[in-house]
């Protein structure tokens, strides 16, 4: 029996990974991992040419498999809807190779009703109605922690409209839901707050499709909500970190995804919100709340730009050190990265920029102005700069040698778009420090031999 899906090879299944991109296949066959993702190189090494093989032969893979996962891209169209042409084309190809009962599973993030459409397409291409089922099995993994998110999920959602397909999907995930995977000596280590064993939630296919869109929209809404609250904190001189603690400890709200910053980015939230908005409209509901979530997200970058102006007055000719280009820490992905959008805006304003990112520099080079400098450490980025900007929440940016940083900068100004530091600590180290939703702090000054507390700048 063969299964065909991402990390399920670590659960003991045989997996054939099919792609039509030869360069990607060749890289994987030789053990190259084309993306920065923790634990993926080890797992690939463990299973390559054993449990996991690569192929461009879709017919063979379908014939050899009982479960077929569709994990193709669903990019946004100009109207913001999900472009389902890759899903349709792969469904058509699968239909020609069905040679016995198959479960065809949507893994790509797709709008509600896609499973119905996939079924129609396969039937139109002459597959017998009882030779297959279409199910939805949405993915909740985050880039950077994708492997642990997959192996230690909060829940596994199986959207299956027949008992037969639900049973195949339950078998696939059995090593997780019966806890046997976690007993293994070679199991990938558990992250904090792992739910072991995870809950399996069986729903209709339509409900599962909605669960995926609604989950991403809710998380994005949480981020925009706290960013809006952060703006009010800035106006009244409150501290958003304290507000987060106060509301996040309410177990009905929870502390996660309440970090204010320069807005969300990535290949999922922006695209999925637009797609959810579009599908809701098609179904007759104007989901205006999502417009506001997107508007606040956009505004958050403009507010940050204003903060840079407040700190530096004019921008033309200013030299800025930038820490972080990826859309978040732990990944080399720059798709819809708020950091990249901000750097582009600052370059347009005539700033000179030296940027450092632990993983995303190569990808950034392709999209950023060639006048930009890419450097090899945070201290090089700070060297001779009028200010240092923190744009991505990489862990290493939260543990910088502050005295060394201070010496490198031409002016000790740090504008932190990710709230990685305590304003009083920064002031104590001699920085003028701006962050999100907290008063800006000025260096401690000595008056008649006595050190005065950090002076706070109310409006930033
Ligand atoms: C997201 C979902 O979390 C995941 O469940 C889904 O499967 C895919 O989309 P991902 O895009 O990898 O995952 O990143 P995520 O960790 O959710 O962060 C998205 C963006 O929100 C990043 O730009 C991040 O910096 C930002 N963010 C996240 C915040 O600004 N504040 C937070 O508190 C959390």
């Amino acid at each position: 029996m063969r299964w065909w899906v991402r990390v399920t090879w670590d659960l003991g299944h045989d997996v054939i990974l099919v792609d039509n991109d030869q360069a990607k296949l060749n890289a994987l066959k030789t053990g190259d991992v084309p993306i920065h993702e923790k634990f993926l190189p080890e797992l690939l090494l463990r299973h390559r040419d054993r449990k996991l093989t690569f192929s461009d032969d879709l017919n063979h893979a379908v014939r050899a498999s009982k479960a077929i996962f569709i994990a193709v891209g669903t990019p946004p169209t100009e109207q913001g809807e999900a472009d389902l042409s890759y899903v349709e084309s792969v469904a058509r190809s699968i239909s020609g190779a069905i040679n016995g009962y198959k479960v065809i599973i949507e893994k790509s993030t797709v709008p509600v009703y896609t499973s119905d459409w996939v079924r129609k397409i396969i039937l139109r291409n002459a597959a017998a109605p009882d030779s297959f089922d279409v199910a939805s099995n949405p993915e909740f993994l985050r880039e950077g922690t994708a492997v642990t998110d997959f192996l230690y999920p909060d829940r596994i959602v199986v959207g299956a409209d027949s008992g037969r397909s639900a049973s195949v999907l339950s078998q696939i995930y059995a090593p997780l839901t019966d806890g046997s995977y976690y007993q293994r000596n070679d199991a990938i280590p558990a992250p904090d707050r792992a739910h072991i064993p995870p809950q399996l939630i069986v729903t209709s296919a339509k409900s599962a499709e909605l669960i995926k869109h609604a989950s991403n929209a809710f998380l994005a809404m949480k981020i925009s909500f706290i960013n809006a609250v952060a703006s009010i904190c800035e106006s009244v001189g409150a501290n958003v970190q304290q507000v987060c603690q106060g509301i996040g400890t309410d177990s009905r709200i929870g502390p996660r995804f309440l970090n204010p910053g320069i807005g969300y980015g990535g290949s999922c939230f922006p695209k999925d919100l637009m797609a959810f908005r579009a599908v809701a409209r098609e179904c007759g509901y104007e989901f205006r709340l999502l417009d506001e979530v997107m508007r606040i997200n956009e505004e958050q970058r403009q507010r940050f730009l204003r903060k840079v102006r407040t700190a530096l007055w004019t921008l033309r000719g200013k030299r800025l050190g930038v820490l972080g280009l990826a859309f978040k820490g732990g990944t080399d992905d720059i798709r819809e990265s708020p950091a990249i959008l901000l750097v582009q805006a600052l370059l347009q304003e005539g700033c000179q920029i030296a940027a450092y990112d632990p993983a995303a520099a190569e990808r950034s080079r392709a999209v950023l102005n060639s006048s930009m400098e890419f450097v090899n450490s945070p201290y090089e980025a700070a060297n001779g700069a009028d200010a240092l900007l923190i744009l991505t929440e990489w862990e290493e940016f939260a543990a910088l040698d502050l005295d060394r940083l201070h010496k490198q900068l031409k002016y000790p100004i740090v504008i932190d778009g990710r709230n990685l530091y305590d304003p009083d600590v920064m002031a104590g180290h001699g920085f003028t420090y701006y962050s999100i939703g907290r008063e800006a702090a000025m260096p401690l000054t000595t008056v008649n031999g006595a050190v005065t507390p950090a002076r706070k700048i109310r409006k930033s």
Side-chain angles (χ1 to χ4, degrees), residues 298-362:
E298 169 75 30
E299 189 183 80
Q300 203 58 14
R301 283 200 309 275
Q302 303 309 324
R303 289 183 67 87
F304 189 79
L305 277 178
R306 284 207 292 279
K307 214 164 268 190
V308 179
R309 268 197 208 97
T310 305
L312 298 176
W313 189 25
T314 63
L315 294 180
R316 180 157 301 282
K318 291 278 161 63
R319 184 177 169 83
L320 302 177
V322 163
L323 300 188
L325 295 164
F327 82 95
K328 66 170 191 176
T331 175
D332 59 350
D333 196 342
I334 56 163
R335 285 176 288 174
E336 300 289 327
S337 167
I340 294 279
L341 296 169
L342 279 169
V343 166
Q344 281 168 332
L346 290 164
L347 286 170
Q348 258 189 351
E349 296 269 1
C351 295
Q352 294 164 22
I353 293 184
Y356 168 68
D357 188 288
E362 262 331 291

Side-chain angles (χ1 to χ4, degrees), residues 151-431:
L151 293 168
Y152 295 88
D154 289 344
R155 79 303 202 188
I156 296 163
V157 174
V158 162
D161 294 327
S162 77
R164 203 175 176 193
S165 58
S167 149
V168 169
L169 272 153
S170 307
Q171 278 177 53
I172 292 177
Y173 288 107
L176 299 182
T177 52
D178 68 15
S180 56
Y181 175 78
Y182 309 111
Q183 310 293 325
R184 280 173 34 187
N185 292 333
D186 63 350
I188 293 293
D192 294 342
R193 294 187 295 251
H195 288 112
I196 299 176
Q199 198 186 347
L200 183 82
I201 300 174
V202 181
T203 68
S204 69
K206 282 195 194 81
S207 299
E209 289 163 339
L210 275 174
I211 286 169
K212 173 66 192 188
H213 266 157
S215 297
N216 274 0
F218 192 87
L219 291 170
M221 180 181 75
K222 226 176 155 185
I223 298 169
S224 279
F225 180 85
I226 203 62
N227 280 333
V229 171
S231 301
I232 302 170
C233 288
E234 286 175 13
S235 309
V236 301
N239 180 326
V240 74
Q241 237 52 55
Q242 294 172 358
V243 176
C244 282
Q245 194 188 5
I247 60 178
T249 40
D250 183 329
S251 59
R252 293 169 301 175
I253 297 173
R256 299 174 75 190
F257 278 71
L258 270 188
N259 297 320
I262 52 174
Y264 61 77
S267 65
C268 292
F269 285 173
K271 162 178 89 73
D272 291 351
L273 254 80
M274 282 198 297
F276 196 25
R277 175 78 175 92
V279 79
R281 176 175 289 153
E282 229 170 81
C283 301
Y285 182 71
E286 286 298 333
F287 208 154
R288 294 205 180 84
L289 177 63
L290 299 185
D291 292 337
E292 192 56 17
V293 170
M294 294 187 265
R295 192 196 62 73
I296 294 170
N297 197 52
E298 169 75 30
E299 189 183 80
Q300 203 58 14
R301 283 200 309 275
Q302 303 309 324
R303 289 183 67 87
F304 189 79
L305 277 178
R306 284 207 292 279
K307 214 164 268 190
V308 179
R309 268 197 208 97
T310 305
L312 298 176
W313 189 25
T314 63
L315 294 180
R316 180 157 301 282
K318 291 278 161 63
R319 184 177 169 83
L320 302 177
V322 163
L323 300 188
L325 295 164
F327 82 95
K328 66 170 191 176
T331 175
D332 59 350
D333 196 342
I334 56 163
R335 285 176 288 174
E336 300 289 327
S337 167
I340 294 279
L341 296 169
L342 279 169
V343 166
Q344 281 168 332
L346 290 164
L347 286 170
Q348 258 189 351
E349 296 269 1
C351 295
Q352 294 164 22
I353 293 184
Y356 168 68
D357 188 288
E362 262 331 291
R363 288 184 196 268
S364 305
R365 252 182 241 278
V367 298
L368 287 173
N369 190 317
S370 54
S371 67
M372 254 206 62
E373 217 183 307
F374 292 91
V375 295
N376 296 317
S377 80
Y379 307 101
E380 256 188 82
N383 193 19
D386 291 281
L388 185 73
L389 274 47
I390 304 178
L391 301 185
T392 304
E393 67 276 48
W394 279 97
E395 272 175 31
E396 69 170 90
F397 296 162
L400 298 173
D401 176 340
L402 295 178
D403 294 329
R404 185 171 167 204
L405 198 67
H406 191 279
K407 282 194 199 113
Q408 295 293 108
L409 283 161
K410 184 168 162 199
Y411 298 106
I413 300 172
V414 173
I415 309 164
D416 182 355
R418 299 294 190 165
N419 284 6
L420 299 187
Y421 288 94
D422 178 329
D424 288 342
V425 170
M426 293 302 275
H429 279 81
F431 291 98

Side-chain angles (χ1 to χ4, degrees), residues 20-42:
N20 56 11
D21 181 338
Q22 278 302 338
K24 218 177 258 177
L25 286 176
N26 289 339
L28 286 164
K29 279 179 191 165
T30 54
D32 260 10
V33 185
I35 51 171
H36 179 91
E37 198 59 66
K38 206 171 170 193
F39 296 122
L40 207 49
E42 290 97 301

